[in-house]
Amino acid sequence: MEKAVILVSGGMDSLVTAAIAAEKYEPAFLHLNYGQRTEKREFKAFNDIADHYRVTNRLVVNIDYLAEIGGSSLTDKDIEVSKADMNRKEIPTSYVPFRNANILSIAVSWAEVIDAKKIFIGAVEEDSSGYPDCREIFYDAFNKVIALGTKPETSIEIVTPIIHMKKYEIIKKGAQMNAPFSLSWSCYTNEDKACGECDSCALRLKGFQLAGLVDPIDYVYRPLYSK
Amino acid sequence: MEKAVILVSGGMDSLVTAAIAAEKYEPAFLHLNYGQRTEKREFKAFNDIADHYRVTNRLVVNIDYLAEIGGSSLTDKDIEVSKADMNRKEIPTSYVPFRNANILSIAVSWAEVIDAKKIFIGAVEEDSSGYPDCREIFYDAFNKVIALGTKPETSIEIVTPIIHMKKYEIIKKGAQMNAPFSLSWSCYTNEDKACGECDSCALRLKGFQLAGLVDPIDYVYRPLYSK
């Protein structure tokens, strides 16, 4: 089996991406800590998911320089986390400048050393809050950088299996594959019970609702969304 | 004056690049520690050069996960540093997998937050030992990733002012601009006196010789190169 590096934040999208990748590849799990507010809870989710899929090759990298650089409500406590607004046009305050390029670069360095051929990332273009680095054209451009910036004999490609899915489709797909949603964590604000109000909670809860399923994790508040 | 982020390793190429950038931009200096053997000496060179150009905006980022990932003689003591071989075809053991993409991603994150419009890097395509991520096509591709992966209103571009120069031309250019070569450090092996034998020393010494100048730093051994 060929190896693949899977970026596992511990959220729902990375969980379903890991489930998809693990069907065809020997998974190596990569997790990033970058001083995000819910870092500890995400790290627990990462390890729980890795245990579930019996992944022995795990790498955890601390990139808290992103918190030092700042510019995001995810890492800077002086910037308020945006409340969910499904009709918002501008990029939310949780956007971490150029975060995914930082993360992918690490993944490529690791993939080149362990001889992995693919890098799986659970980016979602649709309702993913308008982050510029979650779009397919961004990953296409990054694949060109990989081809040019690694050894000629290296062949590494970023794979985004859920990029064009809607949240409810991701949830249905995960449910079909028995992905353990109870182990995943999405909330940007809390570490014990999910808040139910941040962008990430709102997208998750609305997705479960549209999929006709119940999210197994605990919430402080479970809003109902109009379809 | 617009701001520019300058990547300053402390080596000669970054010194001359900083000298060029400082003529037109307010420089912000970025230095990376990644567990390279000569990290302390390079850091001293960085600070000495920053003092020389009176740069107050400095950021030092630790990316020693690259040493943990391994794969290079620069960071892995079990891999021998290649002796200089000007006619070598393959990529030398000092190549750090995808290092420059890691470094540039950090630079872009910082540039986006401090509102810098340019990122200067002293990459040299010619005699730069065949690293794939030192070629202009790599930077062109990376500029596309930046345009796609940052906020729409952001305009950040990588600038490589010495990429097509030969080492002796870089040295002549630096000498014209009174760049303080005595403060810079290039050796991959030693931290007190430069070894004179590693790839980096060999390129530097040969460059000074071809420029008809004398390198002001101390060497254990100063080989003479045939032209």
Side-chain angles (χ1 to χ4, degrees), chain A residues 204-219:
Chain A
R204 176 172 175 136
L205 280 167
K206 191 176 177 187
F208 269 94
Q209 194 180 311
L210 288 172
L213 294 166
V214 177
D215 187 354
I217 68 166
D218 282 340
Y219 284 90

Side-chain angles (χ1 to χ4, degrees), chain B residues 50-102:
Chain B
D51 289 346
H52 179 87
Y53 288 107
R54 299 174 195 214
V55 175
T56 50
N57 207 352
R58 304 178 194 185
L59 177 66
V60 178
V61 172
N62 196 320
I63 49 168
D64 51 13
Y65 61 80
L66 285 181
E68 193 186 337
I69 289 173
S72 167
S73 65
L74 271 201
T75 56
D76 185 340
K77 290 191 170 133
D78 292 336
I79 302 176
E80 200 181 347
V81 177
S82 310
K83 295 286 182 211
D85 174 0
M86 297 299 185
N87 300 313
R88 190 198 309 114
K89 289 281 177 1
E90 70 272 28
I91 291 169
T93 60
S94 55
Y95 168 68
V96 177
F98 216 50
R99 182 190 67 179
N100 284 352
N102 283 272

